[in-house]
Amino acid sequence: MNWKRLEILLPFVGVIVLLVVWSFTVWLRIVDPVLLPSPLSTFKALWAGMFHGKLGIDFLKTVERTIYSTFFAAIIAIPLGILLGSSEKLYRSVEFLIDFFRSTPASAMFPLFLVLFGVGDRTKISVAAFGAALVILFNVAYGVMNARKTRILAAKVMGASRTRVLWDVMLMESMPATFVGLRNGVSLALVIVVVAEMFIGSVDGLGQRVFEAQQMFEMPDMYAAIFAAGALGYGLNLLFLSIERRFVHWAGK
Amino acid sequence: MQPAVKLELSEKARAAATRTAPHVTIRGLSKKFSDATIYDNFDFDIPRGKLMSVFGPNGCGKSTLINMIAGLFPADSGEILFDGQPLNKIKFGYVFQNYREAVFPWLSAFDNIAYPLKVMGVPKKDRVVKVEKIVASLNVKIDLKLYPYQMSGGQQQLVSIMRALVVDPEILFLDEPFSALDYEMTLFMREQLQRVFQETHTTTVLVSHDLEEAVYLSDRILLLSRHPARAVEFVHYDAPRPRTDKTMTESDFIQTKAHCLEIFQREVRKG
Ligand SMILES: Nc1ncnc2c1ncn2[C@@H]1O[C@H](COP(=O)(O)OP(=O)(O)O)[C@@H](O)[C@H]1O
Ligand SMILES: [Mg+2]
């Protein structure tokens, strides 16, 4: 028997253990079955909701909001980050502001954005974009600032102009950090969007779905929505990682 | 009739003068870093078409000197003239000690070598021709589609040397180019450098921390003192090329090396 081959199955061990513990907990009635439905009824609810019910629509709605927020965050934060990073003095002068707002919980900004944009998609997307933009900005700026001095000198001695050095060297040098920023940014945007969907008068989205199912005491639906949100977060991370691997193949080597 | 002959003579004289005139003239060069004076009113002439080594105690300002000549950072005062002109539009080749941080990891070896041509605005077709020419002339057997991180240290440094040579530089600077390579690779690279120099006679300035290497490769050896750096001596070594292992056993070589070592040790002890 070749044990090495079986090692690829290791990631499934945790999942199986969880399902077994969960099944036993339900079977032995350790927890009130109303609060904790069986894995089977949860996955039935997930399947039905995703492919025949409203959960699929909510899922797509949350994807749409998260993508929009990340997109707006990126188109604002990447050029700004390059600008700030290319001048250390400029970055130092706004560093405190960036760090301060990066540390401010985005949820604390909801009321402000509500006043600015009203109850609607614009508020949810702009709060999430705000949070994601700061994360991306910070990473891009540091990526540009930490560009290897020798490479910049190498380009300079070959006669490259300042703008060429910025485009050909600093921008490429900042690429790995930019992708780290994008990956963290999209995760944060998803968190903010889901929270916003729960509490800012929403009619759709995964956050609203979880919240509503809990209010109606439809526990299988609630767990199904939670799993859908988890799968979304995991999937987005995986997607960005694979783009990153292809695009910045030299990172960390 | 006579004036024409006169003109021809003077043209020949001018050509001879240009041939022997210094390539780079350094006058009154001064450079301070926050706490230390590296150069204080430093004068020096870099001869044309020679391979010159710079040798001196660690931290005396060897890198600083070639960086200022290549225009990587400005001197505090003084002037650096090329053929008597202050113009800076000269084509330099520069090979850094730390090749890992000098090549571009996002470009393939081929694109790394072609990059300076791209900066100069050479069309793509001509770039390919030029890169292929330099690769052939150095007799390099590397898959140029590879990225630097897929290559050995020696191969990466070879890429950065070809990148410096591909523009047919007027002056080639090498800052301890072989110090991060293993011994076998170092020996191979020395021979490559010697061959390139023999073929092109490009004015070359080599910073080396290996005295044997410096003497072996050079026509001239500039010995610097601790900073503020002075030119302690400008040693001539005119053994014919190609030099081989046998050259290193000849008395001329041994004497030159011993002489340089003596001066170096005297300077280090002064510190
Ligand atoms: N950017 C810098 N800022 C401050 N000090 C520097 C800088 N670059 C070099 N030095 C100092 O100047 C001296 C000469 O440096 P360098 O030219 O690199 O010496 P080396 O002869 O070893 O190449 C050293 O003492 C070094 O510490
Ligand atoms: Mg040095």
Side-chain angles (χ1 to χ4, degrees), chain B residues 67-126:
Chain B
N67 287 343
M68 286 190 295
I69 299 171
L72 289 182
F73 48 72
D76 296 341
S77 63
E79 56 178 11
I80 298 169
L81 302 176
F82 303 90
D83 295 315
Q85 302 289 317
L87 88 171
N88 221 346
K89 278 280 153 245
I90 212 168
K91 277 185 286 179
F92 297 112
Y94 196 119
V95 178
F96 292 85
Q97 172 178 14
N98 196 343
Y99 51 82
R100 260 179 228 295
E101 296 193 351
V103 294
F104 299 141
W106 50 85
L107 296 181
S108 67
F110 190 95
D111 290 337
N112 262 288
I113 302 169
Y115 183 76
L117 298 170
K118 197 174 149 198
V119 169
M120 288 163 59
V122 176
K124 181 155 182 154
K125 238 177 65 195
D126 302 350

Side-chain angles (χ1 to χ4, degrees), chain A residues 148-161 164-165 168-170 172-173 249-251 253, chain B residues 67 70-73 92 94 96 98 100-106 112 115-116 118-120 147 149 163:
Chain A
R148 294 287 172 189
K149 245 186 137 215
T150 316
R151 283 197 193 113
I152 295 170
L153 290 181
K156 234 176 115 179
V157 83
M158 290 186 269
S161 63
R164 208 177 232 298
V165 170
D168 286 0
V169 185
M170 290 183 166
M172 295 309 282
E173 284 270 23
H249 53 88
W250 68 90
K253 285 177 183 152
Chain B
N67 287 343
L72 289 182
F73 48 72
F92 297 112
Y94 196 119
F96 292 85
N98 196 343
R100 260 179 228 295
E101 296 193 351
V103 294
F104 299 141
W106 50 85
N112 262 288
Y115 183 76
K118 197 174 149 198
V119 169
M120 288 163 59
Y147 287 91
Y149 56 81
R163 181 177 73 175

Side-chain angles (χ1 to χ4, degrees), chain B residues 4-270:
Chain B
V5 172
K6 218 177 184 178
L7 187 69
E8 196 176 294
L9 271 178
S10 74
E11 239 167 32
K12 262 186 191 158
R14 207 181 307 142
T18 339
R19 233 177 8 255
T20 50
H23 200 160
V24 183
T25 333
I26 301 167
R27 290 293 176 271
L29 188 78
S30 297
K31 180 76 185 174
K32 264 198 184 89
F33 286 120
S34 48
D35 47 344
T37 305
I38 311 301
Y39 287 97
D40 184 21
N41 213 1
F42 180 80
D43 297 337
F44 190 71
D45 290 344
I46 295 178
R48 172 184 310 278
K50 302 275 185 216
L51 200 161
M52 175 187 125
S53 283
V54 184
F55 192 78
N58 205 4
C60 73
K62 303 182 290 291
S63 302
T64 305
L65 180 66
I66 62 174
N67 287 343
M68 286 190 295
I69 299 171
L72 289 182
F73 48 72
D76 296 341
S77 63
E79 56 178 11
I80 298 169
L81 302 176
F82 303 90
D83 295 315
Q85 302 289 317
L87 88 171
N88 221 346
K89 278 280 153 245
I90 212 168
K91 277 185 286 179
F92 297 112
Y94 196 119
V95 178
F96 292 85
Q97 172 178 14
N98 196 343
Y99 51 82
R100 260 179 228 295
E101 296 193 351
V103 294
F104 299 141
W106 50 85
L107 296 181
S108 67
F110 190 95
D111 290 337
N112 262 288
I113 302 169
Y115 183 76
L117 298 170
K118 197 174 149 198
V119 169
M120 288 163 59
V122 176
K124 181 155 182 154
K125 238 177 65 195
D126 302 350
R127 296 206 291 261
V128 173
V129 172
K130 285 215 130 193
V131 172
E132 277 167 358
K133 206 182 106 199
I134 193 87
V135 171
S137 81
L138 277 176
N139 198 13
V140 173
K141 292 178 188 67
I142 306 178
D143 180 359
L144 294 178
K145 284 195 285 296
L146 293 181
Y147 287 91
Y149 56 81
Q150 298 167 316
M151 305 165 77
S152 73
Q155 291 173 330
Q156 288 181 47
Q157 189 61 302
L158 206 51
V159 166
S160 79
I161 289 177
M162 288 191 282
R163 181 177 73 175
L165 290 171
V166 77
V167 294
D168 300 319
E170 284 174 57
I171 307 179
L172 177 64
F173 297 102
L174 304 108
D175 191 355
E176 307 200 18
F178 313 140
S179 62
L181 305 179
D182 63 44
Y183 193 60
E184 194 185 333
M185 199 63 204
T186 303
L187 293 182
F188 173 72
M189 298 292 271
R190 278 180 199 168
E191 291 319 313
Q192 298 285 47
L193 180 61
Q194 175 166 238
R195 259 194 37 211
V196 169
F197 177 72
Q198 239 190 305
E199 279 167 25
T200 63
H201 280 280
T202 306
T203 303
T204 302
V205 182
L206 169 76
V207 174
S208 176
H209 68 282
D210 181 334
L211 190 53
E212 187 166 85
E213 171 177 293
V215 178
Y216 176 71
L217 288 173
S218 307
D219 305 305
R220 304 281 183 271
I221 303 127
L222 169 63
L223 296 167
L224 288 179
S225 68
R226 280 186 189 282
H227 65 74
R230 286 172 300 105
V232 180
E233 203 176 311
F234 196 46
V235 178
H236 290 219
Y237 178 61
D238 292 313
R241 298 181 191 272
R243 297 172 186 170
T244 61
D245 292 347
K246 200 168 152 283
T247 312
M248 287 194 261
T249 61
E250 283 160 8
S251 68
D252 193 19
F253 178 86
I254 294 167
Q255 271 169 23
T256 308
K257 196 181 139 193
H259 178 70
C260 292
L261 186 61
E262 193 190 315
I263 293 171
F264 175 75
Q265 279 177 334
R266 202 178 66 210
E267 285 305 319
V268 168
R269 250 179 261 125
K270 270 189 197 165

Side-chain angles (χ1 to χ4, degrees), chain A residues 120-132:
Chain A
D121 267 5
R122 277 171 67 195
T123 299
K124 298 182 191 74
I125 290 172
S126 46
V127 181
F130 175 80

